[in-house]
Amino acid sequence: MIDPATIWAALIAVAVLAYILLDGFDLGIGILYPLVKSEQDRDIMMNSVAPVWDGNETWLILGGGGLFAVFPLAYATILPALYAPLTAMLLALVFRGAAFEFRWRSKRHKHFWSAAFAGGSILAAFAQGVALGALVQGIEVANRSYAGGWFDWLTVFSVMTGCALVVGDALLGATWMVMKTEGHPRQQAVRLAWVFGALTLAAIGSVSLWTPLLNDAYLARWFDWPNLVLSGVMPLLVLGCAALLARGLQRGPDALPFLAANGLFVLCYIGIGISFYPYIVPHSVTIWNGAAPDSSLWFLLAGTAVLLPMILGYTAYVYWVFRGKVDPNEGYH
C-alpha cells in the first residue's frame, strides 16, 4: 500500500526546494544591492524580479503550512527550537516586501527603503541558513517535545551555514542578472558571479567537511559502504556544475550560469536529504512517527492534488510571460 506520510515528505521536500531556488535568486538581488552604486542599475535589478518575487514565496507557505498540517509533532518540535531565526526571517521578508512598493513611490525616503530591501534580503537569507544549520546539528527532544534552551540554535556551525546561504543566494542573484540583463548591469553581474561562485564553492566544501563530524550517524551515512560511493560521486557532480558555471560566464549562453548555480543548490539539498532520511527532525523524529493520522494525510492530499497544479501552472505562466531580457526603460509599475 502507498504510504501517505512518505508522499507528503516528498511533497514538502519539493516545496522547500522550490522556495530555496525561486526565492533564492530574488533574495540574491537584494544581497547584491549594496554592491551596485548606480540607481539605474538598481532599478533594473529590481525590475528583473518584480513580476515573480511574491509568487516565489508561495512555496514557503506551502512547505511551512504542510509541515504544520501533516507533521504536527515535527512542527511542534522545530518551531520552539528555531523561534528566533524564523521570526527574524519573517520580519525581514515583510520589510523586504514593503520596500518593493515604497521604494518606487516614496522619493523622499528612497534610501531608507533601498536599505530595507537590501537588509531584509540579507537577514532573511542569513536566518534561513542559521535555521538549517541548527536543524542539521540536531534538536534536543524529550518526551516528544523540545527540551533545549532558547539559544541552542546559535553555534559557530549555524552561523557558518547562515553565511554560506547568503553567499549562495548572492550567486543565484548574480547569475539571474547575467541571464536577464544586458550591457553594464550584465558585465557587473558577471564579475560578481565569479566572486560569489568561488565563495559558494568554498562554503559548500566547508559545510560538507564539517557536517559528518557533528554526529556519528552522519559519518556512518556517508562513509560506510555502499554509501561511500556517494561521497565520491557528489564532489564530482559539484565540480561539474562549477565547470558549467565558469563556461557560461566566459562564453555563454547566458542561461547556463543560472542553471549551473541552481544545480549546486540541488546537489546540496540532495546531500542534506541523504543525511536526514528517514528523520524529519534529526535524529529524534522520523517521517512516520511525526506524521498525522493516515486519514488526515489522504484528505489533505486530495486538496493538494487540486491546489498544486494551479500553483505550478501559475508559476510557469508568469515565468513564460516575463521571459527574456529586462527592458531598462520599463518601470516596476
Side-chain angles (χ1 to χ4, degrees):
M1 183 178 178
I2 300 174
D3 177 20
T6 303
I7 296 173
W8 264 112
L11 285 174
I12 291 175
V14 169
V16 172
L17 176 61
Y19 172 75
I20 290 170
L21 296 179
L22 296 179
D23 208 38
F25 71 78
D26 67 55
L27 286 175
I29 293 296
I31 293 167
L32 297 175
Y33 221 62
L35 304 178
V36 177
K37 303 306 178 184
S38 166
E39 285 296 323
Q40 183 180 10
D41 289 350
R42 287 183 168 189
D43 290 345
I44 293 172
M45 292 171 69
M46 188 169 277
N47 288 343
S48 72
V49 296
V52 298
W53 73 270
D54 47 356
N56 292 342
E57 294 182 359
T58 304
W59 297 99
L60 177 62
I61 298 170
L62 182 62
L67 185 68
F68 170 74
V70 177
F71 297 104
L73 178 59
Y75 185 89
T77 303
I78 293 171
L79 198 64
L82 303 178
Y83 269 138
L86 293 180
T87 301
M89 177 195 74
L90 293 174
L91 291 174
L93 291 175
V94 168
F95 270 93
R96 183 175 174 276
F100 266 99
E101 304 295 335
F102 284 98
R103 182 182 176 274
W104 292 93
R105 294 297 183 182
S106 179
K107 301 299 182 184
R108 183 178 177 182
H109 301 107
K110 187 173 184 177
H111 292 298
F112 170 79
W113 291 112
S114 293
F117 178 63
S121 300
I122 294 169
L123 179 57
F126 180 73
Q128 290 169 10
V130 167
L132 173 63
L135 189 60
V136 170
Q137 70 189 9
I139 293 174
E140 186 178 347
V141 177
N143 298 320
R144 294 169 62 86
S145 62
Y146 177 59
W150 281 103
F151 295 101
D152 284 7
W153 55 271
L154 185 59
T155 64
V156 176
F157 179 78
S158 67
V159 170
M160 186 180 73
T161 56
C163 294
L165 192 56
V166 170
V167 299
D169 281 352
L171 173 62
L172 289 179
T175 55
W176 172 260
M177 289 295 295
V178 171
M179 184 173 68
K180 296 293 289 184
T181 63
E182 297 176 303
H184 182 261
R186 182 191 176 280
Q187 294 170 3
Q188 193 167 214
V190 169
R191 291 194 294 270
L192 290 170
W194 280 112
V195 173
F196 284 102
L199 291 174
T200 299
L201 290 173
I204 290 172
S206 300
V207 173
S208 299
L209 291 173
W210 195 337
T211 299
L213 303 178
L214 294 173
N215 192 294
D216 290 341
Y218 292 147
L219 191 66
R221 177 60 57 90
W222 283 101
F223 293 102
D224 284 356
W225 185 261
N227 290 343
L228 182 61
V229 175
L230 293 172
S231 299
V233 172
M234 293 295 280
L236 294 178
L237 294 175
V238 169
L239 290 175
C241 286
L244 290 174
L245 174 65
R247 183 189 184 283
L249 293 175
Q250 289 175 329
R251 293 183 287 171
D254 284 352
L256 184 58
F258 183 67
L259 296 175
N262 276 276
L264 290 173
F265 270 72
V266 171
L267 289 173
C268 292
Y269 194 74
I270 291 172
I272 293 170
I274 291 171
S275 298
F276 277 19
Y277 187 81
Y279 292 95
I280 197 166
V281 180
H283 294 274
S284 306
V285 181
T286 67
I287 293 170
W288 300 281
N289 62 31
D294 282 1
S295 57
S296 298
L297 300 183
W298 285 118
F299 176 78
L300 291 167
L301 272 175
T304 304
V306 176
L307 181 63
L308 190 57
M310 295 172 62
I311 297 174
L312 290 170
Y314 170 78
T315 302
Y317 178 72
V318 169
Y319 278 91
W320 173 256
V321 169
F322 293 99
R323 68 192 182 279
K325 300 287 185 177
V326 175
D327 185 347
N329 298 317
E330 290 183 350
Y332 175 60
H333 291 290

